Every structure is written in C-alpha cells, then in structure tokens.
Amino acid sequence: MIHATAHNGRISVLSLALLATPTSLSANSITTVIPALAHALDVSTADATWAATAFGWGGVLGAPLTAALLRTRGSRVATLANAALVLLGTLLVALAPALPMLLAGRAAQAAGGGGLVTLAITLAGTTSRTGVITAGVGLVGAFGPLVGSTLSAISWRTPLLLSLPALLAVPAILRHAPAHPHDHDAGPTDASAPTDIVGILLVMTLISAFILTPRLGPATLAAAAVATALLTLHIRRSNAGFVPRAVVSSRVFVIASATACALSTSYFALLYTVPRMLERHWPAERIGLATLVMLAAGSIASLLFTRWTSRYAPALTRTVLLTAGAVAVALPLTAPWPTALVAANAFAVFAATAAMAWHSDRAGKAVPGEHRATALALFTLCYQLGGAFGPALASLLIA
C-alpha cells in the first residue's frame, strides 16, 4: 500500500512537493504579464485578466475530478491523467494564436495542476509531510511575481509555462503508485462502482458559479443556489455518490474544510489588498521585496510548526492557527504602520498553510477508510476555493 510507503519515505516528500508547488508558481506569475499578453493578442487588459480567472477556475475543478479518479481508478491513473492535462494545457498556451485557445490551455494546466496538488496531499501520509508540501506551495508561490517579471524578458508566454516542472516528479510517483486501485494508500477504492456523473456535474456547476459570480453577476448566484439545492437532494438520495453522505455529515470534516476555506480566503485577499494599501507609503520595489520576505517567513514558520504539531494538544494548535488568522485580518484594519501592514501577509500565509496541513489529517481520519481519498480531495477543494474567493473579495475592498 502507498500508505506504508509514504510513512517509510519511499515516496520522497521532496517529490511530492515538486508535484504540487509549480501550480502556485504558475498561478502567481501571470500577474506581471497581463499587459504584454493583452498587447500581443490584441485584446483589452480586462479581457486579458480572464487568463487569471481561467486558471483559478481550472485549478479548483481539478480537485473533484481527481477525487473521482482516486476513488474508482487509483493514484496511478489519477497521476497520469493530471500530468497529461498539464502537458496539454502548456502546449496550448505555448502555441495559442488567440485568447480563447490560451484560456483553454490555462484552464487545462490548472485542472491538472490542482489535481496534482490533491494527489500530493493525499499521498503525504502525515501532518509533518503535508506541512512540507503546503509550506512549499506558499513559499514557491511567493516568488511567482518576481519569477514572472524576470522570465517575461524572454517572452510573455514563458511565465505561463511554469506548471511544466511538476512533470519531473511524475516518474518518482509512478514508481511507487500501486498497479491496482484497491491498493490505494487512502483506503480501498471501488473500481466497480458506477461513476456519479450527476454528482460531478452538480459540484462543477456549483464551483463554476461561485468563481464566476464577480465577473458575471447575479445570474451565477441563482445558478449556485439551484446547484446547491439539487446537490443536497442528490447527496440525500445517493449515500455513496461523488460526494458521500458519510463525508459531509462528519462534523470534524465540515469544520476542518470551513476553517481551511476561511483562512485561505483571507490569505489570498490580503495578498492583493496589502500591496495596494502600501502604495501611499513605499515605492513598488520595496513593496515587492517586503511582501516576498514576509511570505517566505510565514511559509518557513508554517513548515517548522507543522513538524511538531503531534507534540501539541489539539486545542493549542487550533488556537495558534485561529489567532494567527485573526491577527492577519486585524493588522490592516488597525495598524497605521507599513511594517505592520506587510506583516499581515506573514501571519496569513502561516495560518492558511499550517491549517491546510493540520486539518487535512483530521479531515481524512474523520471519515470511513473507503472515503478518505474523497474527503482529502474535497478538503483540498475547499482550500483552493479560497484562492478564487480571496481575489474576488480583494477587488471589492479596493474598488
């Protein structure tokens, strides 16, 4: 079983981190190339920003699709499918002569990358190993704008190809991935179970409506309400569908997922709002450097904290994470000093990435073994939703 290999270190945590981190780098690198993209493809800047929206949308959809593959086909097929999406999406981005093809490529890149993040979390096996992955995602993502601006000197397309390095980890994953789905580390899968197409479509509709609401307006809120009602009825009728009733009825899973989503949302919202608040105090170069330093500090603190959470009482760990999240939100609201404002990013990335690592272990253990892979994928989805909600919230705050 991969579960054993994960604990014995046969699947290197560095390989798992390499599998997950390029997606965050690619997501953040686009912020520096929007103007050049718009000019090259002869579209408006507003239209060009759809490239960021498409990536966020695709990344969130990757988690539930991977959950379905893990449940019915196992980690080997899930790894290959997501790697193929990353490769296909990167080729489309590299060759796209117009915006629609570029958007399709970015969405495919992100769907595959989001799936690889889900796989890495699922295969990690322990809180400390998950902490390495989530801290790596935060740390590598912090370098996204800097890497994007540097590589854009070559071509505006180059920063959009940064999902590709994740494929370097695929051979290492496949060497230890089981040949049969029932050997999956997260619990037994059911290869004979029918695929819950209705459940998958309802979840994808709900996610898409949430993400597209800031761009498309009230109509998507109505779609989200209808999808929520239909999904609720579907879960009640189908005990072991795409979203198993045993998972969403777990109080521990619901609390863990809601906490991860809330802390992730605040982190991504602050990532966009704090630099705007600092513009009246510091020049752009200093803002960029200070943000990078704070994000790196918070990510490293998260890595160190999650290495030792097994020694702490759960109440203490929970208090530290929630306090850090609260401080991150409070500083921009109450502190007039630039250094305090930029420090909010350190607290935010620490709270979000450490909570992702700690709560993922609790969420997985709170459900029956056969649903663990699905629970981890849905939990990861909730964290990734913060990456979509945060920028949308920031756009309202800084409008």
Side-chain angles (χ1 to χ4, degrees):
M1 296 173 67
I2 291 182
H3 187 59
T5 65
H7 285 290
N8 293 335
R10 288 180 59 192
I11 299 181
S12 166
V13 70
L14 295 180
S15 296
L16 294 174
L18 178 58
L19 195 70
T21 53
T23 297
S24 63
L25 185 66
S26 184
N28 292 346
S29 65
I30 194 173
T31 58
T32 60
V33 301
I34 292 293
L37 186 160
H39 177 74
L41 299 183
D42 194 24
V43 297
S44 68
T45 301
D47 287 340
T49 59
W50 274 99
T53 301
F55 196 91
W57 176 69
V60 173
L61 290 184
L65 294 176
T66 299
L69 287 174
L70 284 171
R71 182 177 180 183
T72 59
R73 297 294 181 263
S75 56
R76 181 182 293 272
V77 172
T79 300
L80 291 172
N82 284 300
L85 278 173
V86 170
L87 181 59
L88 173 63
T90 303
L91 290 174
L92 290 175
V93 169
L95 301 174
L99 186 62
M101 183 173 172
L102 181 78
L103 296 182
R106 288 295 281 173
Q109 277 182 321
L116 294 180
V117 172
T118 300
L119 277 163
I121 298 299
T122 303
L123 297 174
T126 66
T127 299
S128 61
R129 285 164 60 88
T130 304
V132 173
I133 297 166
T134 57
V137 168
L139 181 59
V140 173
F143 285 87
L146 176 62
V147 173
S149 62
T150 302
L151 293 180
S152 62
I154 303 173
S155 167
W156 65 267
R157 292 183 192 266
T158 308
L160 306 184
L161 309 180
L162 294 176
S163 296
L164 206 56
L167 302 187
L168 296 175
V170 170
I173 305 302
L174 293 179
R175 276 198 298 271
H176 303 293
H180 304 290
H182 64 269
D183 291 329
H184 189 263
D185 78 303
T189 58
D190 188 358
S192 63
T195 303
D196 182 13
I197 300 297
V198 173
I200 293 174
L201 290 176
L202 287 173
V203 169
M204 292 176 68
T205 300
L206 181 60
I207 292 170
S208 300
F210 277 141
I211 293 175
L212 296 177
T213 292
R215 287 188 173 273
L216 302 183
T220 52
L221 285 178
V226 172
T228 300
L230 292 176
L231 182 60
T232 301
L233 291 174
H234 184 69
I235 292 172
R236 290 177 177 174
R237 293 177 56 189
S238 178
N239 186 45
F242 176 66
V243 181
R245 192 187 308 168
V247 172
V248 294
S249 63
S250 167
R251 182 173 176 270
V252 172
F253 171 83
V254 171
I255 292 175
S257 299
T259 302
C261 185
L263 291 176
S264 175
T265 298
S266 65
Y267 161 53
F268 283 102
L270 289 169
L271 194 62
Y272 284 82
T273 56
V274 167
R276 291 291 298 272
M277 297 175 70
L278 288 169
E279 287 176 352
R280 68 175 73 99
H281 302 286
W282 290 345
E285 295 79 8
R286 187 175 181 183
I287 293 173
L289 178 60
T291 300
L292 176 60
V293 170
M294 288 296 102
L295 290 176
S299 297
I300 293 171
S302 170
L303 173 62
L304 297 175
F305 182 75
T306 53
R307 283 179 63 87
W308 303 106
T309 50
S310 61
R311 300 188 179 187
Y312 310 145
L316 175 61
T317 301
R318 188 181 299 108
T319 300
V320 169
L321 296 176
L322 293 178
T323 300
V327 170
V329 174
L331 282 176
L333 298 176
T334 60
W337 313 287
T339 51
L341 291 175
V342 77
N345 281 330
F347 283 100
V349 72
F350 167 79
T353 57
M356 174 67 169
W358 187 69
H359 280 294
S360 67
D361 183 62
R362 296 173 64 80
K365 291 178 179 178
V367 301
E370 65 270 20
H371 295 311
R372 181 173 181 270
T374 301
L376 286 173
L378 294 174
F379 171 82
T380 305
L381 166 64
C382 290
Y383 177 85
Q384 292 174 327
L385 278 172
F389 294 157
L393 177 60
S395 67
L396 296 176
L397 295 175
I398 63 181

